[in-house]
Amino acid sequence: MNRCNSSLNNRLLLTLFLTLAGLGGAYAPPARAQVENEATYGGRNFPIGTLRGKFLLVNSPEILLDGEPERLAPGARIRSPQNMLMMPAAITGQNLLVNYTRDAAGLVSQVWVLTPEEAVVARESAEKPLLNFWPFVANSAPRDDGKTPFDQLPKYGE
């Protein structure tokens, strides 16, 4: 025995659909800020938080990134200007301009070798330090040297 009134359910769903469809023209999602990226100039779309640097593969997984020694993450992917995977041995010893991302451990996990069109576009996050909320990077807050009396320490919520 079917106790559901299917015609009533169908009418309710149709009414709900038509109501939402009518609001579809009136509702517009909030506008995002227009940020120029490499895709604007004929390049690829890169993930948010992608950094730019000078990349030199010394001996995989050892690399130099902007002259500083770094490491590639296990399973790191290096993409050519044609967006194809490159083997590390193919680019050992070459200085390349790249966009890269880091994983949660701070290792370089994805690398994209840039085309000339992509290289002329400045990256927004290129000058920002890695994880700039860490206390050893940001010096904006006062620091406790270990000699502050207990009654002068900041309270929770201050």
Side-chain angles (χ1 to χ4, degrees):
M1 174 157 121
N2 189 359
R3 294 182 184 205
C4 297
N5 188 351
S6 62
S7 64
L8 178 62
N9 288 342
N10 290 343
R11 277 188 258 147
L12 287 174
L13 288 174
L14 182 63
T15 306
L16 179 65
F17 174 74
L18 292 175
T19 304
L20 292 176
L23 293 176
Y27 173 75
R32 290 175 157 182
Q34 292 292 328
V35 177
E36 288 188 0
N37 60 10
E38 290 84 350
T40 309
Y41 297 96
R44 297 170 279 189
N45 277 324
F46 296 104
I48 296 172
T50 301
L51 302 171
R52 167 124 350 128
K54 293 179 181 137
F55 178 85
L56 173 69
L57 186 67
V58 178
N59 186 12
S60 186
E62 304 297 328
I63 62 172
L64 288 177
L65 200 55
D66 294 328
E68 298 294 321
E70 297 277 348
R71 288 183 65 90
L72 287 174
R77 291 178 287 191
I78 303 172
R79 300 256 178 197
S80 72
Q82 293 80 26
N83 214 24
M84 299 180 71
L85 285 176
M86 299 177 72
M87 296 296 114
I91 59 170
T92 300
Q94 297 180 21
N95 283 314
L96 302 168
L97 185 63
V98 298
N99 283 352
Y100 64 95
T101 59
R102 295 184 182 268
D103 63 3
L107 301 174
V108 177
S109 63
Q110 294 183 20
V111 178
W112 294 271
V113 179
L114 298 178
T115 63
E117 294 84 21
E118 294 168 344
V120 297
V121 180
R123 293 292 306 169
E124 179 183 351
S125 58
E127 289 80 30
K128 294 181 183 175
L130 168 69
L131 302 175
N132 59 1
F133 57 85
W134 281 17
F136 6 94
V137 176
N139 292 325
S140 59
R143 296 193 178 269
D144 179 23
D145 59 359
K147 300 176 184 172
T148 307
F150 179 75
D151 59 336
Q152 293 178 6
L153 290 173
K155 308 293 184 277
Y156 180 75
E158 288 184 357

